[in-house]
């Protein structure tokens, strides 16, 4: 498993710290990386701040100065591995949604997510704190698609009655279901077809012809 | 956890065995029930035929006479708890799909499924045999919806180009995603709205008006 390797995102964060707090950002990334490794080895419930500190080569104090609890650290780590997105506004609903869907699919195939999401789901069933981590992960992963739907509604490109949350449940749901329940890969052509279908379900301009 | 209790379905099977092999069917149901209890207690990987036999009050031979392996027994149990559906043909795509969606949502809220699906997903990630059990479960759960789409296409009610598998990925995906990732309940009104949205995405008769 590639869990112990840093994700491209985590590496990028480490290489290009934000202005002002370069040292802290680097250490944050090292701790997030250690968190992923610890959870990969022991599960969400089994991971300890002590184990994370040892992997990161820091004291527990360095962790608790940043995050008040293991739970807060988990939520930060879950948000970090979903690669916070720049909200792309192409002016077209189909293109915005495709961009969001490609990013979602990419997130789902990241080795860290592929390894950490199934046990996250399993442990969330019995642990309220882990459920909160799952919620952070999911909220982060759907934000870009929700934004795309809201903009399209404001432009009048889709029906006013469109329920953005439900639309994103369909899109993200299909991707997660294919990946986790069917064990199927989803290539760019599949994702394009899926987005076309989702767009058609709410498009203000519909046609009785077969779509091209 | 309600794992040790028989599901309504399993009880029904036990009460009303098929003609001809009443004793075997009753014993099958007892063993399936014991399998669910064993897996609930020890996980999919940890469950043993010995443990299942002990819970069912039968010898291991009684199990191996019916199923060649633990794997085959798991697949049978997974199919049994998804409540095999009578394929309802109402003559309307929207109604057929709603019937299928309501059944899917009902399956997802069954205590056995709620308890066994998350660990099934987690363990399937690392175990090919458990992955096969997951596939049996998923294939069984989507069969009715796939049939509804195929019939609608034959009646010309939906676009010829409709991809039945993708459409069911959207429908089942939204339900599973809401339940497992968002931890949200889905009531009958939500399911009706979801089905309306899915139907609109492939309907041969579309309208530019807001849907009622």
């Amino acid at each position: 498993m590639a869990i112990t390797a840093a994700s491209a995102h985590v590496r990028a964060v480490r290489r290009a710290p934000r202005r002002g707090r370069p040292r802290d950002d680097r250490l944050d990334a090292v701790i997030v990386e250690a968190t992923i490794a610890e959870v990969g080895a022991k599960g969400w419930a089994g991971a300890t701040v002590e184990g994370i500190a040892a992997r990161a080569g820091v004291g527990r104090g360095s962790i608790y100065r940043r995050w008040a609890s293991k739970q807060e650290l988990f939520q930060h780590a879950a948000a970090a591995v979903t690669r916070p997105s720049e909200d792309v506004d192409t002016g077209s609903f189909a293109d915005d949604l495709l961009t969001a869907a490609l990013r979602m699919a990419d997130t789902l195939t990241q080795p860290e997510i592929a390894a950490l999401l199934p046990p996250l789901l399993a442990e969330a069933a019995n642990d309220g704190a882990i459920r909160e981590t799952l919620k952070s992960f999911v909220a982060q992963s759907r934000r870009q698609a929700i934004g795309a739907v809201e903009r399209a509604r404001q432009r009048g490109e889709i029906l006013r009655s469109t329920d953005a949350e439900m639309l994103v449940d369909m899109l993200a749901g299909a991707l997660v279901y294919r990946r986790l329940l069917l064990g199927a890969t989803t290539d760019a052509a599949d994702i394009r077809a899926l987005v076309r279908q989702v767009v058609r379900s709410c498009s203000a301009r519909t046609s009785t012809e077969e779509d091209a």
Side-chain angles (χ1 to χ4, degrees), chain A:
Chain A
M1 276 206 283
I3 295 296
T4 52
S7 75
H9 171 64
V10 170
R11 274 196 306 270
V13 167
R14 200 159 27 151
R15 269 196 237 105
R18 291 189 299 273
R19 281 163 174 278
R21 312 171 43 224
R23 298 197 102 116
D24 274 1
D25 277 1
R26 269 200 299 275
L27 195 48
D28 282 7
V30 169
I31 294 170
V32 165
E33 202 175 304
T35 303
I36 294 166
E38 172 83 356
V39 171
K42 303 188 187 162
W44 293 89
T48 63
V49 170
E50 210 137 40
I52 293 166
R55 285 173 198 269
V58 301
R60 294 171 62 213
S62 297
I63 294 180
Y64 284 120
R65 264 194 299 280
R66 288 170 171 75
W67 298 282
S69 64
K70 184 176 93 165
Q71 191 44 37
E72 280 192 15
L73 171 56
F74 276 2
Q75 291 185 18
H76 178 88
V81 292
T82 55
R83 302 185 182 176
S85 50
E86 328 74 56
D87 209 355
V88 184
D89 185 355
T90 65
S92 145
F93 179 46
D95 290 344
D96 282 3
L97 205 60
L98 180 61
T99 307
L102 288 169
R103 181 181 289 271
M104 274 181 193
D106 179 56
T107 297
L108 284 169
T109 55
Q110 274 182 69
E112 290 85 357
I113 301 290
L116 299 183
L117 184 56
L120 184 59
L121 288 174
E123 297 180 40
N126 302 312
D127 185 322
I130 294 174
R131 209 147 45 232
E132 289 307 308
T133 299
L134 177 62
K135 276 192 184 163
S136 302
F137 165 76
V138 174
Q140 169 73 28
S141 70
R142 55 196 275 123
R143 197 159 297 152
Q144 190 180 354
I146 294 280
V149 180
E150 296 297 0
R151 285 195 302 276
R153 184 159 47 195
Q154 281 170 16
R155 287 194 304 261
E157 212 178 331
I158 60 176
L159 296 176
R160 262 188 306 113
S161 59
T162 304
D163 180 337
E165 299 291 335
M166 184 195 289
L167 216 68
V168 174
D169 290 351
M170 279 167 47
L171 179 65
L175 292 172
V176 167
Y177 179 90
R178 285 183 60 87
R179 180 86 193 167
L180 288 187
L181 277 82
L182 297 177
T185 53
T186 308
D187 64 19
D190 294 331
I191 296 171
R192 249 185 288 272
L194 175 64
V195 167
R196 213 156 40 220
Q197 193 88 26
V198 171
V199 168
R200 196 176 193 281
S201 79
C202 59
S203 176
R205 174 206 63 77
T206 52
S207 145
T208 53
E209 289 148 42
E210 296 273 323
D211 291 348

